[in-house]
């Protein structure tokens, strides 16, 4: 009988994955980037960076492909998507599959690093995107694996190494993703410890990481607290902070399509994405028809004021979303107030006044308030107000070019989607690449490899110009 070596290799790999919960055991003491101590983790990333600098661009390109391949491997993709929901208690498995896949396939790699050349009588000057060195990347509970995947691709493409500080409530899935990537990189001949973290992520460890002199740049993907902390660090920092994306619908819109897009975008991953529609602002003349169509697309309209009040006291604590309800299914939330709904229900819709907590607070739950206004000018003014100056994301459904232009100019958000669901803004059904680190406060916008690089000028005097 012929022995198929590749089949045996596959069986061994599958068994290793099975026994180690998605990641293979350590080879010769290598912990696949996981350290017990933060200083050791940073120093390992700094040592890896020295080695990485010697590698050609073709290696970086190869390593980006390795990350794309290991994450889109069916078994790995299903493993991290399932574990993310189980461990954090947030979001939807089917949507995590889509998000992780997008992060792996649509985050730009080395092609993002375009060189500028100046050629003339005095010679040739190039301006290149060059690595920062070791980057500290702080990642959220809401997109734990997606952020690790897209930042690993962008940062390694830029020639950096990365120390991740995952959210403590997403420890296992974050560590397993980092191990999975490092194992695949090692198999491809990459230096060890290109991406690292610690066994026990914590605020203390994040502070230690931020203060370590070898960390040259900080990237915070999370709420206002951590963005403020990195911006006060004295280091180069990228802040990708909170949003509260409004969606305006006026009387010129295709109302049936607007309703379907809004429910799809707002209920995606149970409203966890920072870009997801968080409140609807509808012109009075079409508001009823819009809500009628939203119900046809899976919105459950809650009208009983006593139940709405009960819901507010349950899901809002100290003017913040109650963690226990963030990213939960609409059915789960309805059950807690004594109501039930079938699997066709994707979100809970209420009609609300402008000052309602569901309108003002970034809930990150499938609860969508609809605010009724007299006209599109009032809608735009209120959208600007309720976005709270986050400059994050906003949507409008309208065919009135003046209204589209006015809102785009006034709201100043990093992402502005016209006539589509919010996720069109990160490349799903809209043109453009994907990222899960959207830097409004510091202005990089949708981050990619070039956001994690420094501009350097190399000047060759008196030669090589062929003009
Ligand atoms: P979070 O702010 O609670 O946590 C984010 C990360 O920061 C975690 O790793 C956490 O451990 C760390 N952290 C928080 N406070 C800290 C402190 N004082 N010191 C040190 N570390 C600290 O956010 P979350 O609940 O995980 O994620 C949801 C928030 O993130 C929402 O506001 C959402 O809009 C935002 N977000 C923004 C983007 C973006 O690209 N702009 C992407 C995803 C999430």
């Amino acid at each position: 009988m012929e022995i198929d070596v590749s089949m045996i290799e596959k069986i061994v790999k599958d068994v290793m994955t099975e026994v180690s919960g998605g990641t293979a055991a350590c080879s010769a003491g290598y912990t696949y980037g996981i350290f017990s101590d933060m200083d050791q983790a940073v120093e390992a990333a700094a040592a890896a960076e020295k080695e990485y600098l010697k590698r050609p661009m073709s290696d970086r390109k190869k390593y980006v492909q390795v990350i794309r391949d290991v994450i889109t491997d069916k078994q790995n993709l299903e493993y991290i998507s399932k574990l993310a929901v189980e461990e954090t208690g947030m979001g939807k498995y089917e949507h995590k599959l889509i998000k992780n896949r997008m992060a792996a396939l649509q985050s730009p790699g080395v092609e993002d690093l375009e060189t500028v050349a100046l050629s003339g009588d005095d010679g040739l000057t190039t301006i290149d995107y060059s690595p920062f060195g070791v980057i500290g990347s702080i990642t959220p509970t809401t997109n734990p694996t997606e952020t690790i995947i897209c930042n690993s691709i962008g940062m390694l493409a830029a020639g950096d190494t990365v120390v991740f500080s995952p959210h403590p409530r997403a420890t296992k899935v974050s560590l397993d993703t980092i191990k999975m990537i490092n194992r695949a990189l090692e198999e491809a001949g990459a230096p060890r410890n290109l991406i690292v973290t610690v066994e026990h992520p914590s605020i203390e460890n994040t502070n230690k990481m931020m203060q370590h002199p070898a960390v040259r740049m900080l990237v915070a993907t999370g709420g206002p607290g951590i963005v403020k902390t990195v911006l006060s660090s004295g280091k180069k920092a990228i802040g990708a902070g909170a949003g509260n994306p409004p969606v305006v619908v006026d009387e010129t819109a295709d109302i049936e399509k607007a309703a379907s897009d809004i429910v799809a975008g707002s209920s995606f991953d149970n409203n966890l994405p920072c870009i997801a529609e968080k409140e609807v602002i509808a012109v009075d003349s079409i508001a009823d028809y819009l809500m009628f169509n939203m119900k046809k697309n899976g919105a459950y309209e809650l009208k009983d004021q006593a139940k709405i009040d009960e819901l507010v006291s349950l899901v809002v604590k100290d003017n913040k979303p109650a963690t226990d309800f963030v990213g939960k299914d609409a059915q789960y939330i309805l059950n807690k107030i004594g109501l039930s709904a079938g699997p066709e229900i994707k979100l809970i819709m209420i009609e609300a006044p402008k000052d309602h907590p569901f309108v003002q607070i970034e809930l990150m739950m499938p609860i969508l308030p609809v605010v009724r206004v007299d006209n599109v000018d009032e809608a735009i003014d209120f959208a600007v107000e309720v976005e709270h100056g986050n400059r994050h994301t906003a949507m409008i459904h309208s065919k009135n070019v003046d209204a589209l232009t006015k809102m785009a100019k006034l709201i100043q958000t990093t992402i502005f989607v016209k006539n589509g669901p919010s996720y069109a803004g990160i490349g799903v059904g809209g043109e453009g690449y994907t990222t899960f680190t959207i830097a409004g406060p510091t202005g990089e916008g949708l981050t990619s490899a070039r956001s994690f690089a420094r501009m350097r000028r190399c000047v060759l005097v008196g030669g090589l110009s062929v003009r």
Side-chain angles (χ1 to χ4, degrees):
M1 190 184 98
E2 289 235 343
I3 296 176
D4 182 341
V5 177
S6 64
M7 181 60 82
I8 292 175
E9 277 175 2
K10 187 179 178 316
I11 292 168
V12 170
K13 188 178 161 216
D14 287 352
V15 171
M16 293 296 278
T17 306
E18 187 67 28
V19 297
S20 62
T23 55
C26 302
S27 81
Y30 181 33
T31 57
Y32 294 105
I34 313 300
F35 292 82
S36 54
D37 175 77
M38 183 51 91
D39 286 338
Q40 282 174 9
V42 175
E43 277 143 32
E49 173 65 13
K50 278 195 181 148
E51 178 57 29
Y52 196 35
L53 279 174
K54 297 179 203 155
R55 301 289 175 107
M57 290 297 287
S58 57
D59 275 7
R60 290 197 213 166
K61 205 170 171 181
K62 181 164 95 183
Y63 304 152
V64 166
Q65 191 57 47
V66 164
I67 301 175
R68 300 198 199 286
D69 291 346
V70 73
I71 297 298
T72 52
D73 171 272
K74 187 171 181 292
Q75 199 177 338
N76 290 340
L77 188 67
E78 289 176 359
Y79 175 75
I80 58 172
S81 303
K82 186 162 170 280
L83 185 55
V85 176
E86 277 173 11
E87 186 180 17
T88 63
M90 298 174 181
K92 278 187 164 319
Y93 169 67
E94 315 84 69
H95 295 166
K96 298 278 188 209
L97 285 174
I98 297 170
K99 287 166 71 183
N100 284 315
R101 178 166 243 283
M102 271 166 59
L105 296 180
Q106 295 186 48
S107 304
V110 296
E111 71 285 358
D112 194 48
L113 308 166
E114 283 171 7
T115 298
V116 172
L118 307 170
S119 172
D121 294 345
D122 286 334
L124 179 70
T125 292
T126 53
I127 300 158
D128 263 324
Y129 286 107
S130 192
F132 254 90
V134 180
I135 298 184
S137 171
I138 300 144
T139 57
T141 38
T142 48
N143 306 324
T145 52
E146 301 88 328
T147 313
I148 289 173
I149 296 162
C150 87
N151 285 3
S152 294
I153 289 175
M155 291 171 187
L156 295 193
D160 306 297
T161 59
V162 197
V163 182
F164 280 109
S165 259
H167 196 291
R169 283 202 313 274
T171 298
K172 181 165 170 52
V173 75
S174 302
L175 267 58
D176 281 356
T177 306
I178 290 169
K179 284 191 262 181
M180 193 180 269
I181 291 173
N182 273 328
R183 186 184 57 186
L185 287 171
E186 189 191 34
E187 281 169 13
R192 289 180 167 185
N193 299 316
L194 290 182
I195 63 172
V196 300
T197 190
V198 286
E199 264 168 37
H200 302 293
S202 63
I203 287 189
E204 295 72 44
N205 272 324
T206 301
N207 288 331
K208 233 172 154 181
M209 180 273 279
M210 292 191 290
Q211 283 155 19
H212 198 295
V215 174
R216 306 303 291 261
M217 180 194 216
L218 296 169
V219 179
T221 314
I226 189 60
V227 169
K228 191 166 174 217
T229 305
V230 298
L231 293 183
S232 324
S233 67
K235 296 189 181 189
K236 162 75 183 178
I238 293 182
N244 190 34
V247 49
V248 165
V249 188
D250 80 5
E251 67 283 5
T252 67
D254 176 341
I255 304 299
E256 288 93 350
K257 179 176 184 306
S260 146
D261 286 351
I262 291 169
V263 173
S266 183
S267 63
F268 190 68
D269 209 17
N270 282 340
N271 199 251
L272 286 181
C274 51
I275 59 165
E277 291 84 349
K278 300 273 186 296
E279 59 279 336
V280 182
I281 307 166
V283 169
D284 184 37
S285 59
I286 50 84
D288 289 331
Y289 190 53
L290 179 73
M291 287 192 278
F292 168 76
N293 277 286
M294 286 171 66
K295 285 194 270 184
K296 279 189 16 189
N297 283 282
Y300 178 108
E301 187 178 12
L302 190 58
K303 281 185 152 172
D304 179 343
Q305 193 55 47
K307 288 285 179 203
I308 295 173
D309 293 344
E310 200 182 332
L311 194 57
V312 173
S313 58
L314 202 62
V315 305
V316 177
K317 297 276 178 249
D318 301 327
N319 248 4
K320 291 193 182 116
T323 309
D324 293 353
F325 287 89
V326 171
K328 290 283 191 260
D329 291 342
Q331 287 75 8
Y332 175 91
I333 300 172
L334 284 169
N335 271 331
K336 294 287 172 186
I337 54 167
L339 299 169
S340 63
E344 72 287 356
I345 292 301
K346 296 178 184 160
L347 57 77
I348 303 161
M349 173 178 76
I350 65 156
E351 198 174 330
K354 288 179 178 171
D355 60 353
H356 195 277
F358 290 170
V359 179
Q360 297 291 333
I361 298 170
E362 184 198 27
L363 276 188
M364 296 180 286
M365 302 168 197
I367 298 177
L368 187 62
V370 180
V371 176
R372 202 183 278 263
V373 291
D374 286 342
N375 53 55
V376 74
D377 291 319
E378 187 188 348
I380 293 171
D381 287 346
F382 184 58
V384 172
E385 184 187 324
V386 82
E387 210 271 327
H388 301 311
N390 292 319
R391 297 180 162 201
H392 199 298
T393 298
M395 276 63 61
I396 183 169
H397 292 266
S398 169
K399 294 199 174 144
N400 175 349
V401 174
D402 291 343
L404 299 175
T405 311
K406 180 178 177 185
M407 184 164 167
K409 282 195 175 183
L410 292 182
I411 202 152
Q412 288 285 326
T413 48
T414 306
I415 296 179
F416 184 59
V417 179
K418 300 178 278 289
N419 299 324
S422 49
Y423 46 66
I426 56 164
V428 183
E431 292 298 325
Y433 60 86
T434 289
T435 182
F436 286 86
T437 295
I438 298 154
T442 48
E444 290 77 9
L446 283 85
T447 58
S448 60
R450 67 177 66 186
S451 318
F452 310 123
R454 301 163 57 220
M455 305 299 295
R456 293 177 61 205
R457 178 188 278 207
C458 277
V459 181
L460 179 92
V461 178
L464 283 186
S465 172
V466 293
R467 296 177 100 177

